[in-house]
Amino acid sequence: MEQAARVIPALPDQVAMSPLDTPTCNPAPPRILVVDDQPANIQVVGSVLGKLGYEITPALDGPTALKRLATHLPDLVLLDLLMPDMDGCEVCRRLRQNPDWQDLPVIFLSAADDKDLVVQALEAGGVDYITKPFNQAELVLRVKTQLDLKTARDRLKRLAEDKDELLGMLAHD
């Protein structure tokens, strides 16, 4: 796998990659929370996705990820499965318990390729699963697909709310 990532000596609380190619339909770049107990993995993923204009927010463990979710809601979560203390399945289950986070797409990105673990991750609420080492093009396409699906769901939700509001006004008149 080709790497163009620069070495970051210490991982700050939040790393924002500058958008190089901001999507035209969204003024703010999509924010991706990358959760992995290995800083090097966050750096590689951040380099690949940062070049495309995505804003990367790192978290080195489950509790930190949940705190970051509470302060800055991302558009997508890339979540390692095998982490100490709180594994990815537990993080995903807790994420799904919060009504504000239920529709947030979670892609598991893990070295574990055991089919039972993949099923457990998807049952916990993941929408996709990518094994490490990952193919850069595959990662980019799967992230883009999930972000496109989220955008479509958000638009449909807004349209339904607008329709309900309009029908309410018509019924009132």
Side-chain angles (χ1 to χ4, degrees):
M1 174 171 45
E2 180 183 321
Q3 290 186 28
R6 60 175 197 236
V7 176
I8 301 171
L11 197 62
D13 281 346
Q14 187 170 20
V15 175
M17 303 293 178
S18 60
L20 300 178
D21 186 18
T22 303
T24 56
C25 64
N26 190 358
R31 181 180 291 140
I32 300 173
L33 175 62
V34 181
V35 186
D36 198 306
D37 59 326
Q38 300 296 317
N41 292 339
I42 293 174
Q43 189 175 346
V44 170
V45 170
S47 175
V48 170
L49 297 176
K51 287 178 187 174
L52 301 174
Y54 298 117
E55 181 181 319
I56 307 302
T57 303
L60 292 171
D61 56 40
T64 302
L66 295 172
K67 287 178 193 168
R68 299 256 163 84
L69 280 164
T71 57
H72 296 289
L73 188 65
D75 298 295
L76 179 121
V77 177
L78 286 174
L79 181 59
D80 188 16
L81 181 63
L82 304 175
M83 298 184 291
D85 301 323
M86 183 186 300
D87 71 7
C89 285
E90 181 60 25
V91 173
C92 195
R93 278 191 286 274
R94 290 188 187 189
L95 192 148
R96 294 294 178 232
Q97 291 171 352
N98 185 321
D100 296 332
W101 305 339
Q102 285 180 342
D103 296 330
L104 190 59
V106 175
I107 298 175
F108 280 91
L109 183 60
S110 181
D113 63 354
D114 177 271
K115 297 302 176 194
D116 290 334
L117 289 175
V118 173
V119 169
Q120 287 176 17
L122 297 174
E123 286 176 342
V127 296
D128 203 349
Y129 193 101
I130 303 170
T131 54
K132 294 186 242 178
F134 61 87
N135 175 289
Q136 288 185 16
E138 178 183 8
L139 174 69
V140 168
L141 288 172
R142 289 184 186 217
V143 164
K144 182 180 179 334
T145 297
Q146 291 304 323
L147 288 170
D148 288 347
L149 287 170
K150 181 185 181 299
T151 299
R153 279 191 307 272
D154 291 349
R155 284 185 188 150
L156 286 172
K157 183 178 178 181
R158 280 193 304 275
L159 284 172
E161 290 168 355
D162 290 348
K163 180 192 83 164
D164 290 345
E165 184 180 333
L166 181 60
L167 289 175
M169 288 190 304
L170 288 173
H172 183 270
D173 290 341

